[in-house]
Amino acid sequence: MADAKVIPFDDDRSRGGAVQRPPRRRAAGSRRKGDPVVVREVQPLPGRAFPQDDVPVTREEQSPQQPQPPQQPQGVGGLERRIAGGLAFLRRRLTGDYEIDDFGYDQELTDQVLMSMIRPLYEKYFRVEVKGIENIPSEGGALIVSNHSGTLPLDGLMMQVAVHDNHPAGRHLRLLAADLVFMLPVVNELARKAGHTLACAEDAERLLERGELVGVMPEGFKGIGKPFSERYKLQRFGRGGFVSTALRQGTPIIPCSIVGAEEIYPMIGNAKTLARLLGFPYFPITPTFPWLGPLGAVPLPTKWTIQFGEPIPTDGYPPEAAEDPMLMFNLTDQVREQIQHTLYKLLVQRRSVFF
């Protein structure tokens, strides 16, 4: 609606002084027979002037606005919704009114609690930058293959948050983890609740068949436990079992390169004797651990970049291709070379380890 100029109701100004009001000698509506009918100019009522689009309107000339009802302070409504949502979540937890799949995955707990605990580390501490998220399909199964590093497997968790928070469909990543993860108390339960499962072909095929995003890090402990001097040098990718799984299901393979995880715990030594006693594949020695005790377990605040590469399709191969060792070797080498090349490219573009 165009802004209206309010003209003050005044006899002289409203008529421009051109028309004079005749003297009112008779009562309104009375006239003598034979008197000419006097037709007076119709004047606009107060506050009902026609709008004039070409006349600017100042703040003082605008008509007074109607009184608005008092509004709640900003943030009150959001706080009430969060409290109500939290109470509803607790009620469902206490009554058992929630769902988990046959792998133990609890999506509600993951979204409401576990991801919320990891997200500050992802956003504020490591300040993860994500590239190539459009290469992940909006629906259907896909196998994301990534490098592995960092002494502790924080890179898998960061990749899980990166996919969920940046993908337009908000997809969830189901990671394949090593046996050790499911042998540790508490960690075992949390891993199952977060959607992780054992790194075996059977579980991976079941997830892909259901149209899930599956993440795998073929380097395993060889990658996560390598010394700092070999940072960003990919280790052997196993026997190519992930390629065979993708071929059987006809799902694309998406290479993923992670830069920044290598420096969070610079591993300068490995106490192998202590590792054997504890049943660990390695026992890391870093510049801060174990010298500073629990404080040495705090990771360095490096700047991370996660880039998802172009998918490598597998649906064009025949069913028996999964049993072809030469084809699996070639595809495995292709995925590995693409990840390694992207790592070098991101390292050249990086300004600093921490910025």
Side-chain angles (χ1 to χ4, degrees), residues 195-208:
H196 307 164
T197 188
L198 193 64
C200 63
E202 292 78 10
D203 286 0
E205 288 184 16
R206 289 171 59 194
L207 289 172
L208 291 174

Side-chain angles (χ1 to χ4, degrees), residues 76-106:
V76 172
L79 179 61
E80 292 177 350
R81 286 193 297 269
R82 288 195 296 269
I83 294 176
L87 293 176
F89 172 78
L90 291 177
R91 179 186 60 79
R92 290 190 296 270
R93 291 286 120 183
L94 295 175
T95 59
D97 185 18
Y98 58 90
E99 296 181 357
I100 60 174
D101 66 6
D102 49 349
F103 291 95
Y105 174 47
D106 189 337

Side-chain angles (χ1 to χ4, degrees), residues 144-147 159 254-258 306-309 335 339 343:
I144 299 179
V145 182
S146 172
N147 61 308
M159 185 169 62
I254 303 174
C256 177
S257 303
I258 302 176
I306 300 178
Q307 179 163 338
F308 299 97
V335 174
I339 295 175
L343 287 175

Side-chain angles (χ1 to χ4, degrees), residues 2-3 17 44 53 66 73 103 108 126 195 203 207 221 249 256 297 305 310 314 335:
D3 295 335
D53 294 338
Q66 297 295 329
F103 291 95
E108 183 184 45
F126 294 137
D203 286 0
L207 289 172
F221 290 121
Q249 297 299 321
C256 177
T305 301
E310 295 184 2
T314 63
V335 174

Side-chain angles (χ1 to χ4, degrees), residues 16-172:
V19 180
Q20 298 294 329
R21 184 187 296 272
R24 302 179 62 179
R25 298 180 179 180
R26 302 183 184 91
S30 62
R31 64 182 180 89
R32 296 179 181 177
K33 184 177 181 181
D35 289 349
V37 178
V38 179
V39 179
R40 296 181 176 87
E41 180 183 358
V42 178
Q43 300 298 326
L45 295 177
R48 298 295 300 274
F50 296 104
Q52 301 179 12
D53 294 338
D54 57 342
V55 180
V57 180
T58 62
R59 184 180 299 272
E60 291 77 7
E61 293 174 331
Q62 293 179 354
S63 58
Q65 299 179 354
Q66 297 295 329
Q68 300 293 334
Q71 298 181 354
Q72 292 182 339
Q74 186 176 3
V76 172
L79 179 61
E80 292 177 350
R81 286 193 297 269
R82 288 195 296 269
I83 294 176
L87 293 176
F89 172 78
L90 291 177
R91 179 186 60 79
R92 290 190 296 270
R93 291 286 120 183
L94 295 175
T95 59
D97 185 18
Y98 58 90
E99 296 181 357
I100 60 174
D101 66 6
D102 49 349
F103 291 95
Y105 174 47
D106 189 337
Q107 180 175 338
E108 183 184 45
L109 181 67
T110 301
D111 290 345
Q112 299 293 330
V113 179
L114 301 182
M115 298 282 274
S116 300
M117 295 171 60
I118 302 173
R119 193 167 286 116
L121 192 66
Y122 170 90
E123 295 178 347
K124 305 298 183 182
Y125 198 77
F126 294 137
R127 297 148 291 150
V128 181
E129 179 183 359
V130 179
K131 299 180 179 181
I133 195 68
E134 67 277 1
N135 291 319
I136 300 177
S138 298
E139 57 183 11
L143 185 65
I144 299 179
V145 182
S146 172
N147 61 308
H148 205 14
S149 61
T151 305
L152 291 181
L154 298 181
D155 50 358
L157 300 178
M158 297 301 107
M159 185 169 62
Q160 187 178 12
V161 179
V163 172
H164 179 267
D165 288 4
N166 292 274
H167 197 278
R171 302 201 63 179
H172 292 82

